[in-house]
Amino acid sequence: MTSGDLGDLVVLTIREPAAALRVLRGLDLPMSARWMALLLAVTLSTLLAMLSLALFPIEVESPVSAVLSSPAVLAGVQFAAMAVSALMMAQVGRWFGGQGDFADALLIVAWVELLLVGLQAVQVLMMLLFPATAAMLSVLAFGLFLYLAVAMTKALHGFSSTGKVVLGFVGSLFVLGFVLSLLAAALGIVPEVTP
């Protein structure tokens, strides 16, 4: 795959996610290459986060900022979160009658994360040149993530209803967020609120 093909795939992913998924599947990547793509995305994202933190230090000390300041911990958390996301994308979709599998879900998560890393790089640059526009890029990145997550999940499982995929996606996020907040509280990561 050349850089031109990669650029075409980026555009295709945004315009027609289902067609982009067919191209990604057509690459017939082994499972090890899918894991390596996810590892590459997490590594690049962590490097950009560390660069951003060096350029714009976080003043407030909190458990979250402590996690963000350690590259190994941040990378580990991101990698685990992406792997769990792929697992949930595959499993929850199958519970609702979808046909997708974990290998393709992992490929989707890695590819979407790589696209978001590209936006993250642009955001770091924009923070240096035009700080006011960096926040708009954050909103754009979040919107792109939601759009691609829903569209690619729909394509992965062969679903016809976008609304049902959105409901399933949002419901899964709430359940996962609740479980993770309980886990974080049990591990002492979330600070206690005192009256």
Side-chain angles (χ1 to χ4, degrees):
M1 179 173 274
T2 66
S3 59
D5 293 338
L6 196 59
D8 290 343
L9 184 56
V10 169
V11 172
L12 185 63
T13 301
I14 294 168
R15 286 187 179 167
E16 295 180 57
L21 179 57
R22 287 192 295 274
V23 171
L24 288 170
R25 282 176 167 159
L27 296 174
D28 200 27
L29 296 174
M31 200 62 181
S32 59
R34 295 168 194 232
W35 282 111
M36 285 174 36
L38 183 63
L39 184 60
L40 174 65
V42 168
T43 302
L44 293 174
S45 177
T46 301
L47 289 173
L48 285 169
M50 291 300 107
L51 175 62
S52 179
L53 191 61
L55 293 171
F56 309 99
I58 298 174
E59 301 294 332
V60 180
E61 282 300 318
S62 70
V64 174
S65 64
V67 167
L68 291 176
S69 64
S70 170
V73 173
L74 179 60
V77 167
Q78 284 189 64
F79 189 83
M82 295 298 110
V84 169
S85 296
L87 181 62
M88 287 189 65
M89 180 186 285
Q91 194 56 49
V92 173
R94 289 180 75 80
W95 287 340
F96 288 95
Q99 304 302 315
D101 61 9
F102 176 72
D104 285 344
L106 184 64
L107 184 61
I108 288 170
V109 168
W111 176 242
V112 170
E113 184 65 15
L114 283 168
L115 292 178
L116 293 176
V117 165
L119 267 180
Q120 187 181 0
V122 171
Q123 185 178 13
V124 170
L125 184 63
M126 294 299 277
M127 287 169 71
L128 288 170
L129 301 175
F130 309 104
T133 61
M136 289 189 302
L137 271 177
S138 294
V139 173
L140 176 67
F142 183 69
L144 181 64
F145 162 73
L146 288 179
Y147 164 70
L148 290 177
V150 169
M152 296 291 252
T153 300
K154 181 180 170 186
L156 172 68
H157 290 292
F159 292 139
S160 57
S161 171
T162 301
K164 289 180 182 178
V165 174
V166 169
L167 286 176
F169 183 74
V170 171
S172 297
L173 283 179
F174 276 117
V175 170
L176 182 61
F178 179 72
V179 170
L180 290 177
S181 66
L182 289 178
L183 182 62
L187 295 173
I189 297 172
V190 178
E192 292 181 18
V193 178
T194 55

